[in-house]
């Protein structure tokens, strides 16, 4: 572990290094932070037990040894989900503007609102305290807005039911039977009405369902241009984020930079589809590789600090996005001490 003369670890900073500093560069830092949080979120209690390390103390080198880098195992989708969520919280205009338009079209109660996001994803509900944290953040007066003109549903009780996943379907009312598929609950600042949204990093994987109102996907060349439209096939308002000259180009650049850095730190083979990122994103990759012994949380803080740089050329000041409390609910699974292995003699 790298230490200063006084025995303390040096402060991790990207601000004073040879780093991208204009608006695109700052956005790269913000998305790289989201991708790292997705990797941290994906660590299981078993992973933490194997590392013998609490979540808050996991170092970059440790994360790189156990993280999922193959996109076929869902890491790209998880990273995209986090990036969209934090882009909303951080008021990234490339996401906020089309999402606001989609919410307006989906509900008259959400006209001209500034979008806000609550991350769900029922796979996280298995962590003690996660569902309670989401319900508390929504508030006691929150409602779910399904399709049609019927009465809305109380947020807390039905979201708690949906946390059981597909097994919850028989216990959910017909109009919200599929809300267990929700990735993000979307509303306006100070508005108690929520729309259920599904987020997919591949348009071909987009699925609708009763209770889901909005789908967020990347632009794709076949029948899915960037913008907002209603899909009769999915029964969703679909927000397609522009690629490559929009949020998806930015996400892909940061995703490749973080992925390649983790491959280097973990001495893992680089997947064949990990294309070379832009020159600016390569600088982010190089900086990440300089801190193998820093904790992931220290790296996140440094990325957040870099994303907040106040530069004259910046048009949109990104809002700081603190990690939600529930992300750190997972500590370290109890260490299981087993009996010493004993094998019978083979005569």
């Amino acid at each position: 572990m790298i230490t200063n003369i006084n025995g303390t670890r040096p402060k991790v900073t990207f601000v004073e290094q040879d780093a991208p500093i204009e608006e695109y560069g700052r956005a790269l830092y913000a998305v790289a932070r989201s991708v790292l949080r997705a990797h941290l979120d994906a660590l299981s209690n078993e992973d933490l037990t194997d590392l013998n390390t609490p979540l808050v103390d996991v170092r970059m080198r440790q994360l790189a040894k156990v993280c999922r880098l193959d996109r076929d195992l869902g890491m790209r989708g998880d990273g995209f989900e986090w990036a969209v969520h934090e882009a909303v919280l951080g008021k990234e205009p490339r996401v906020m503007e089309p999402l606001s338009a989609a919410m307006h079209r989906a509900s008259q109660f959400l006209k001209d609102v500034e979008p806000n996001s609550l991350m769900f994803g029922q796979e996280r509900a298995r962590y003690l305290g996660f569902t309670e944290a989401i319900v508390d953040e929504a508030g006691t007066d929150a409602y779910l807005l399904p399709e049609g003109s019927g009465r809305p549903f109380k947020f807390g009780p039905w979201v708690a039911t949906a946390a059981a996943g597909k097994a919850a379907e028989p216990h959910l009312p017909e109009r919200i039977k599929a809300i267990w598929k929700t990735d993000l609950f979307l509303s306006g600042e100070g508005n108690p009405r929520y729309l259920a949204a599904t987020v997919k990093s591949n348009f071909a994987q987009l699925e609708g369902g009763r209770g889901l109102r909005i789908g967020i996907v990347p632009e794709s060349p076949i029948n899915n241009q960037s913008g907002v439209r209603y899909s009769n096939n999915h029964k969703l308002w679909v927000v397609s984020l522009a690629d490559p000259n929009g949020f998806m180009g930015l996400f892909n650049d940061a995703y490749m930079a973080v992925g390649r850095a983790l491959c280097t730190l973990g001495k893992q083979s680089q997947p064949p589809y990990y294309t070379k990122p832009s020159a600016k994103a390569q600088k982010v990759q190089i900086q990440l590789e300089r801190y193998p012994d820093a904790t992931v949380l220290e790296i996140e803080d440094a990325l957040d600090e870099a994303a907040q740089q106040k530069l004259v050329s910046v048009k949109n000041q990104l809002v700081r996005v603190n990690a939600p409390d529930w992300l750190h609910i997972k500590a370290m699974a109890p260490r299981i001490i087993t009996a010493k292995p004993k094998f019978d003699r083979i005569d």
Side-chain angles (χ1 to χ4, degrees):
M1 183 176 293
I2 302 173
T3 58
N4 288 327
I5 295 175
N6 62 4
T8 61
R9 286 209 300 266
K11 175 179 171 59
V12 179
T13 179
F14 297 155
V15 176
E16 297 177 353
Q17 300 181 19
D18 183 19
I21 58 173
E22 80 299 313
E23 189 165 359
Y24 183 80
R26 294 167 64 255
L28 270 176
Y29 284 128
V31 176
R33 175 199 58 206
S34 298
V35 174
L36 266 183
R37 284 189 182 161
H39 280 289
L40 195 65
D41 186 27
L43 291 182
S44 66
N45 286 330
E46 183 178 304
D47 291 329
L48 296 173
T49 298
D50 291 344
L51 293 173
N52 196 28
T53 307
L55 190 74
V56 295
D57 294 330
V58 171
R59 292 178 287 121
M60 286 291 287
R61 194 199 312 273
Q62 291 177 302
L63 177 68
K65 295 286 187 182
V66 300
C67 67
R68 295 182 287 123
L69 293 174
D70 193 325
R71 67 181 177 189
D72 295 332
L73 296 178
M75 199 61 249
R76 176 177 163 78
D78 292 348
F80 181 53
E81 183 180 322
W82 267 96
V84 170
H85 170 64
E86 295 202 319
V88 175
L89 297 186
K91 305 188 188 308
E92 165 58 55
R94 282 164 283 200
V95 175
M96 293 285 277
E97 291 172 6
L99 193 56
S100 178
M103 291 169 64
H104 176 193
R105 296 178 188 181
S107 172
Q108 61 177 332
F109 299 109
L110 296 173
K111 180 180 179 180
D112 299 327
V113 299
E114 185 174 75
N116 193 22
S117 173
L118 291 178
M119 180 173 276
F120 185 57
Q122 58 85 25
E123 68 278 1
R124 298 183 181 91
R126 66 181 182 272
Y127 299 124
L128 183 65
F130 168 79
T131 303
E132 291 82 356
I134 298 302
V135 172
D136 287 347
E137 190 171 352
T140 56
D141 296 328
Y143 289 89
L144 291 169
L145 295 177
E147 75 275 14
S149 57
R151 295 184 57 163
F153 295 89
K154 288 285 287 183
F155 186 92
W158 295 117
V159 169
T161 301
K166 186 172 178 56
E169 275 197 10
H171 308 290
L172 291 167
E174 189 64 31
R175 293 170 63 214
I176 56 171
K177 191 168 286 292
I179 61 163
W180 62 272
K181 296 181 180 180
T182 303
D183 295 309
L184 305 177
F185 286 110
L186 303 171
S187 186
E189 291 290 344
N191 195 313
R193 303 173 180 90
Y194 283 85
L195 299 173
T198 177
V199 181
K200 296 295 181 186
S201 61
N202 186 333
F203 175 68
Q205 297 174 348
L206 183 64
E207 294 181 356
R210 299 298 302 275
L212 298 176
R213 306 295 306 280
I214 290 177
I216 304 173
V217 294
E219 178 183 12
S220 51
I222 301 177
N223 300 323
N224 184 38
Q225 294 182 342
S226 62
V228 178
R229 63 183 175 84
Y230 186 76
S231 170
N232 282 312
N233 291 334
H234 302 96
K235 306 300 181 188
L236 295 170
W237 283 99
V238 177
V239 176
S240 298
L241 300 177
D243 187 15
N245 299 316
F247 185 78
M248 280 314 303
L250 171 67
F251 170 77
N252 289 330
D253 213 11
Y255 178 77
M256 292 302 173
V258 173
R260 288 165 70 102
L262 290 174
C263 285
T264 299
L265 294 176
K267 295 182 171 57
Q268 296 198 40
S269 298
Q270 183 175 293
Y273 43 77
Y274 268 32
T275 56
K276 192 173 184 179
S278 70
K280 291 183 176 66
Q282 287 179 62
K283 291 181 181 179
V284 175
Q285 175 189 340
I286 291 168
Q287 291 179 93
L288 291 172
E289 292 171 356
R290 288 175 180 168
Y291 296 105
D293 292 303
T295 68
V296 179
L297 298 188
E298 288 173 331
I299 296 294
E300 285 184 9
D301 286 344
L303 288 168
D304 196 71
E305 180 184 5
Q308 306 307 316
Q309 294 178 66
K310 296 179 180 178
L311 305 171
V312 175
S313 62
V314 172
K315 296 179 182 178
N316 300 291
Q317 179 66 42
L318 300 180
V319 174
R320 187 178 186 90
V321 178
N322 295 320
D325 292 337
W326 55 257
L327 177 60
H328 302 144
I329 287 172
K330 289 178 289 182
M332 180 173 61
R335 187 172 182 181
I336 301 173
I337 302 175
T338 59
K340 184 177 180 180
K342 181 179 181 181
F343 298 92
D344 295 332
R345 289 181 55 186
I346 300 177
D347 296 325

